[in-house]
Amino acid sequence: MLSRPTFLPMALIFFGAAAGGEAAETAALAPKPYEIGVAPSHITISPNPLFESDAAWASVADGVDLYKYYGVQTAGAPWATAIDCKSFVACMKKHGIRIGCEFGDFHLGAGPSRPDPAEAAIRQIQPVFDAGGEVASIHLDGPERRMIRGINPSANALSLDEVAAAMVDFWRKIRTAYPRIQIGLITNLPNWDYSDDLAGYNGHYTDQSGATYLHVLETFHKALAESGERIDFVEVDYPCNYYLETQTRKKDAPVDGKRIFLRLQEWLAQRHIGFHMIVNAEPRNLGAQGFHDLTLEYVRRLRRDGVFPDVFIIQSWYKEPADNLPETAPLTFMNTAADAMRLIRRLYPTPISGTSH
């Protein structure tokens, strides 16, 4: 996930309110069903109190559709907070919340043979099934940038076509093990140029690999389609801090997050691929207050700009907010999630009244 030292002045956080908020030049949107998910950080406090008692996050638990955990939380990673799968599954079943797994262990190894990422993914997914639950979706964190030559300096690094072939193999093995599971891609989009005419804020993945993200996506889509598989969704990792940027880090080209998102949104819709949006912000030295305020500002900006995901995911991979609970306490993760969820439900149109949960 992204981590950048750039600091945005506090004044920018409240730009939406100063400019009229969601009422300022708001794009017209046709109603559609959409969903909301949460993914608390895996490097702060244990998530298990969430599952042991839902009273402290009742409105979020009753309102969201998806809980995405980090796969390392079921695999014994010493640096991540472990999940108790039995209580996790019981809580998700109680509230009718689907379970997703974020997975990023696409390692190349040092020897002649490459570790099989599907085996690693199964080790992170199967504990949920063993506890009586089901992982409905696996969210692949940047497999292309972890394996591609240029970004990865390893002698085992692959060409883009070879990465696409490796993804076909991964898809087939995961679908064989879990026929009902959805498989999608997470992209660290500010690190890529989206296309030849749309620069990314950092863009160094494109500089290093020679590929734009659109080229990566089209290559994966073609390889998977030819094998009888499909990308179920693309999930955008693009914290609000970057959406507010108007020039690249090097100040050598304009950056237009709105155009990038609308272009990607259209590409996905034409191919009937789901569009997931991670809605968050880097806390930087603004702390949990910055995470909260910029996350809500992001919802306003996306709505104003006509960016309409199929799934909004309120997610942290940061050390702040340090606490998950309670949702009624200012600046906890679930407090931000509750506020963001209410704002999304208020601003985005649905075909019928109420939520999709």
Side-chain angles (χ1 to χ4, degrees), residues 222-265:
K222 181 175 184 289
L224 287 162
E226 288 176 349
S227 73
E229 296 288 352
R230 59 174 278 107
I231 301 169
D232 288 308
F233 58 87
V234 171
E235 190 165 295
V236 175
D237 163 12
Y238 202 115
C240 182
N241 316 66
Y242 300 93
Y243 197 72
L244 299 177
E245 296 285 356
T246 59
Q247 286 191 312
T248 64
R249 178 185 287 276
K250 295 180 180 179
K251 309 299 183 188
D252 58 356
V255 173
D256 192 334
K258 174 183 173 179
R259 285 185 65 206
I260 291 171
F261 284 14
L262 293 179
R263 190 85 64 83
L264 175 61
Q265 181 171 267

Side-chain angles (χ1 to χ4, degrees), residues 25-45:
E25 301 180 9
T26 300
L29 291 176
K32 75 173 186 180
Y34 62 85
E35 297 181 332
I36 298 176
V38 292
S41 180
H42 56 320
I43 59 170
T44 55
I45 197 165

Side-chain angles (χ1 to χ4, degrees), residues 72-282:
V72 291
Q73 293 182 286
T74 63
W79 50 271
T81 54
I83 282 180
D84 179 84
C85 287
K86 286 196 174 296
S87 62
F88 177 41
V89 166
C91 182
M92 298 303 106
K93 284 185 174 181
K94 176 181 177 181
H95 293 280
I97 302 172
R98 293 195 322 280
I99 296 173
C101 173
E102 181 166 319
F103 174 79
D105 288 345
F106 293 93
H107 303 303
L108 296 176
S113 61
R114 188 173 71 246
D116 188 344
E119 292 179 1
I122 290 169
R123 287 194 295 270
Q124 297 180 15
I125 292 171
Q126 190 58 37
V128 172
F129 283 86
D130 293 343
E134 179 179 7
V135 174
S137 52
I138 181 168
H139 309 236
L140 310 182
D141 182 21
E144 70 292 327
R145 55 104 174 173
R146 296 178 190 274
M147 296 190 287
I148 197 169
R149 191 173 299 129
I151 300 175
N152 190 315
S154 167
N156 290 344
L158 307 175
S159 69
L160 178 55
D161 286 340
E162 289 171 333
V163 176
M167 297 313 297
V168 169
D169 181 68
F170 179 89
W171 244 257
R172 285 173 170 165
K173 289 175 178 176
I174 295 299
R175 295 263 199 228
T176 298
Y178 308 106
R180 287 161 33 113
I181 202 167
Q182 287 202 331
I183 308 174
L185 302 166
I186 302 175
T187 170
N188 307 99
L189 203 48
N191 292 341
W192 295 93
D193 291 344
Y194 176 72
S195 58
D196 291 338
D197 64 326
L198 288 173
Y201 175 68
N202 289 309
H204 50 258
Y205 289 166
T206 294
D207 294 340
Q208 293 165 349
S209 67
T212 63
Y213 189 68
L214 180 59
H215 185 199
V216 171
L217 196 52
E218 289 177 334
T219 301
F220 281 14
H221 175 67
K222 181 175 184 289
L224 287 162
E226 288 176 349
S227 73
E229 296 288 352
R230 59 174 278 107
I231 301 169
D232 288 308
F233 58 87
V234 171
E235 190 165 295
V236 175
D237 163 12
Y238 202 115
C240 182
N241 316 66
Y242 300 93
Y243 197 72
L244 299 177
E245 296 285 356
T246 59
Q247 286 191 312
T248 64
R249 178 185 287 276
K250 295 180 180 179
K251 309 299 183 188
D252 58 356
V255 173
D256 192 334
K258 174 183 173 179
R259 285 185 65 206
I260 291 171
F261 284 14
L262 293 179
R263 190 85 64 83
L264 175 61
Q265 181 171 267
E266 181 181 13
W267 190 93
L268 295 171
Q270 289 173 347
R271 292 156 182 81
H272 306 289
I273 297 171
F275 176 26
H276 291 200
M277 186 73 226
I278 296 173
V279 182
N280 70 1
E282 288 183 358

Side-chain angles (χ1 to χ4, degrees), residues 330-347:
L331 308 184
T332 65
F333 174 81
M334 286 302 176
N335 173 258
T336 295
D339 287 350
M341 181 178 68
R342 283 191 289 267
L343 187 60
I344 292 166
R345 299 294 189 203
R346 179 163 66 87
L347 297 184

